[in-house]
Amino acid sequence: MELTLWEFIWSLILGIAFGIALQKAQLTKYSKIVNVFRFKDLSVLKFMLTTLITAMPLIFILKGMGALSLSNVNPTYFLGNFVGGAIFGVGMAAAGFCPGTVAGGIGQGSLDYLIPGGLGFLTGAYIFGQTYTSVFTKLSSIGNIGSITIPEWLDVNQWLFIFFFVQMTLVLFYFLEKKGIK
Amino acid sequence: MDWIIEQMRKKTWSPYAAGVFFGLVNVLALIMISKPLGASSAFGKLVGLGLSGVFPKAVDIMYFKFVAPPAVNFTVIILLGVVIGGFISSKMSGDFRWRTVTDEQWIDMFGPAIWKKWVVAFLGGIILEFSAGLAGGCTSGLAISGTMQLAPSGLIFIGGLFTTGILTSLLIYGKKW
């Protein structure tokens, strides 16, 4: 264990809340995940965007107050982020789950998520480890601009960017609800 | 407290309500453990742990020695928490059920054969975990955790994901798309 008791307790609480959110939004079901790609049910998109417009302003307000620091901003390396995302989309649309929702689905009793799903994820992790130096190291060196934020990268005001992001999302939600799009 | 139990007994929350809740959980993670939430990296830790017990030679490579040494770290506990959270949520709402094929839409499209779903789940798992490694995270650890911290990588990942997600479902569903 490379964890303090405090980290253990909080990781467990956060994980449980994570699982509850996914299961209550029904994202632990094959159809919910697949149907966002068929434009039949946009719950996944609504859930993701609501999470973002809730967390994003709060994080930067707290950061401005000095209450938290962002030391783990995901690094950007254009080709790898995109290619990884593109391969990920194939798996997500075919299997109808992703790494978080597969775990939430195991909790609701889905044996197809637990046995072949879980074994698949472990196998994928092992293949990634085996090919790390030959594939990942090379891919992530292409277009690598490091742990940078969009406002830093494009030299725009971060509040302006956040305001714009929240505003556009709310306009999209208004449109979706007005048209009655699920 | 009554209100919480009432909410937990519901089978479905609106994606907006669940999203606000999950947004707050993501912020709490940055405050309490100074790390963004994620799910994909836990599988690397788990396979490393499993193999180092039974077949240590398999993990005697650069990745498991230096990049992601086998250990029970916070990502493993979070993933365990997600399983428990899914269990609590489905038990309280009566949605818990042993399922060999999740869910009805799959059966309508591809029939009730278990092996078909299990083969796709296994191959899908390999593809998802390998690509999450390449991208630097998954739907949670990059699309959400990255974008909420304004990392360009989060939005680039979302762009890639939806492009091929739509194309793949179009290919699989054909006329029924």
Side-chain angles (χ1 to χ4, degrees), chain A residues 131-151:
Chain A
T131 57
Y132 184 82
T133 17
S134 56
V135 180
F136 178 81
T137 320
K138 285 180 187 130
L139 191 64
S140 63
S141 67
I142 301 166
N144 193 321
I145 55 170
S147 292
I148 196 174
T149 67
I150 296 167

Side-chain angles (χ1 to χ4, degrees), chain B residues 64-75:
Chain B
F64 291 108
K65 273 169 139 171
F66 304 108
V67 185
V72 177
N73 72 344
F74 76 102
T75 65

Side-chain angles (χ1 to χ4, degrees), chain A residues 72-78 143-155, chain B residues 146 149-154:
Chain A
N72 287 296
V73 176
N74 304 61
T76 295
Y77 39 96
F78 295 100
N144 193 321
I145 55 170
S147 292
I148 196 174
T149 67
I150 296 167
E152 284 164 359
W153 177 45
L154 300 177
D155 199 21
Chain B
Q149 300 182 81
L150 303 183
S153 47

Side-chain angles (χ1 to χ4, degrees), chain B residues 123-161:
Chain B
L123 296 176
I126 296 177
I127 293 171
L128 284 161
E129 184 61 21
F130 179 74
S131 60
L134 291 185
C138 57
T139 333
S140 153
L142 181 53
I144 290 172
S145 292
T147 310
M148 75 180 188
Q149 300 182 81
L150 303 183
S153 47
L155 289 174
I156 298 167
F157 178 78
I158 294 174
L161 190 169

Side-chain angles (χ1 to χ4, degrees), chain B residues 29-121:
Chain B
L30 290 181
I31 297 171
M32 288 304 170
I33 58 173
S34 304
K35 287 178 188 94
L37 292 180
S40 56
S41 54
F43 290 97
K45 294 285 182 185
L46 286 172
V47 78
L49 279 171
L51 288 174
S52 59
V54 294
F55 194 46
K57 266 202 117 153
V59 287
D60 193 20
I61 53 171
M62 212 278 279
Y63 180 76
F64 291 108
K65 273 169 139 171
F66 304 108
V67 185
V72 177
N73 72 344
F74 76 102
T75 65
V76 176
I77 305 300
I78 288 173
L79 197 74
L80 175 73
V82 178
V83 176
I84 298 171
F87 178 72
I88 295 172
S89 167
S90 59
K91 263 287 172 199
M92 289 188 74
S93 65
D95 198 19
F96 182 90
R97 199 151 39 81
W98 294 110
R99 301 163 162 91
T100 46
V101 177
T102 312
D103 49 60
E104 289 71 23
Q105 185 173 310
W106 174 283
I107 298 170
D108 291 344
M109 272 298 294
F110 311 108
I114 294 170
W115 71 269
K116 255 192 224 173
K117 179 77 205 281
W118 285 40
V119 168
V120 174

Side-chain angles (χ1 to χ4, degrees), chain A residues 34 53 62 72 99 111 148:
Chain A
V34 171
I53 63 169
L62 289 168
N72 287 296
L111 295 170
I148 196 174

Side-chain angles (χ1 to χ4, degrees), chain A residues 69-151:
Chain A
S69 61
L70 300 183
S71 49
N72 287 296
V73 176
N74 304 61
T76 295
Y77 39 96
F78 295 100
L79 189 65
N81 297 141
F82 186 80
V83 170
I87 304 173
F88 194 91
V90 175
M92 197 164 158
F97 53 53
C98 54
T101 54
V102 83
I106 291 169
Q108 76 189 2
S110 287
L111 295 170
D112 47 348
Y113 288 31
L114 174 66
I115 301 165
L119 283 174
F121 279 96
L122 295 174
T123 310
Y126 186 69
I127 296 172
F128 179 72
Q130 279 289 351
T131 57
Y132 184 82
T133 17
S134 56
V135 180
F136 178 81
T137 320
K138 285 180 187 130
L139 191 64
S140 63
S141 67
I142 301 166
N144 193 321
I145 55 170
S147 292
I148 196 174
T149 67
I150 296 167

